Amino acid sequence: MRAQLNRLIAVVEDTLLVAILTVMIVLAGTQIALRNVFDTGLLWADPALRVMVLWVGMIGAMVATRFDKQISVDAVSRFLSPQWQARVRVVTDLFTAVVSAMVAWHALRLVLDDKAAGSTVFASVPVWVCEMVLPLAFGLIALRYLLYAVDHGRAGFTSGRAP
């Protein structure tokens, strides 16, 4: 069941990433052509592109965590046995999960506050819709790192093999 859910989430992430990047390329190209050829442009295109950059960045972070390829600074674990490396990873995975969950919680509060305020970004699009990627992405990142902690815990405290 976990593998099927992971595959479904991966398909959604990849589809969103490709779709948003495609729209960004087409929209930016259209803006350039309109400005250079017709001396005009779409008023909503620049704010929309900024929002799409946020979405692409957050979805990219989710994809990086799917492959466990996030940025990390690690000077100690290379000197440890595989079993101890897995144990250290439990601590770092749990820390990352807690921090990501806290960011997701506060991002959700931001979204709810902006929804209550009723403000818009561009073309009558509510601010909260543009921000929804923040709690969703950080929530998924927190969940993934919690699952990584479980996997590394099994490897570090039972079989002695790193996952």
Side-chain angles (χ1 to χ4, degrees):
M1 170 124 165
R2 181 173 159 188
Q4 289 175 331
L5 184 59
N6 278 337
R7 278 194 295 275
L8 175 65
I9 292 170
V11 167
V12 170
E13 288 171 341
D14 293 344
T15 302
L16 280 173
L17 203 54
V18 169
I20 294 170
L21 280 170
T22 302
V23 170
M24 286 177 70
I25 291 167
V26 169
L27 189 56
T30 301
Q31 272 294 82
I32 291 168
L34 286 173
R35 286 182 182 160
N36 290 334
V37 176
F38 299 107
D39 200 27
T40 187
L42 303 170
L43 292 175
W44 53 268
D46 291 335
L49 285 166
R50 285 192 292 273
V51 169
M52 285 187 258
V53 168
L54 171 69
W55 278 71
V56 166
M58 293 309 301
I59 296 170
M62 291 171 16
V63 170
T65 61
R66 179 188 345 148
F67 295 111
D68 199 16
K69 296 292 182 190
Q70 70 293 337
I71 296 172
S72 64
V73 178
D74 188 11
V76 176
S77 69
R78 64 184 173 156
F79 299 112
L80 301 174
S81 69
Q83 187 174 14
W84 275 100
Q85 286 178 1
R87 290 175 182 173
V88 168
R89 276 296 304 268
V90 170
V91 173
T92 59
D93 291 342
L94 287 174
F95 178 78
T96 303
V98 167
V99 170
S100 297
M102 289 172 55
V103 173
W105 169 253
H106 289 289
L108 180 61
R109 289 180 54 212
L110 171 71
V111 168
L112 293 174
D113 287 347
D114 284 342
K115 184 176 181 182
S119 54
T120 60
V121 178
F122 61 91
S124 300
V125 175
V127 171
W128 70 270
V129 171
C130 299
E131 297 170 340
M132 260 321 281
V133 71
L134 295 169
L136 293 174
F138 280 108
L140 183 61
I141 290 169
L143 179 61
R144 280 191 174 141
Y145 275 99
L146 189 60
L147 295 173
Y148 283 145
V150 170
D151 292 344
H152 289 118
R154 286 186 188 134
F157 296 102
T158 56
S159 68
R161 293 183 319 218

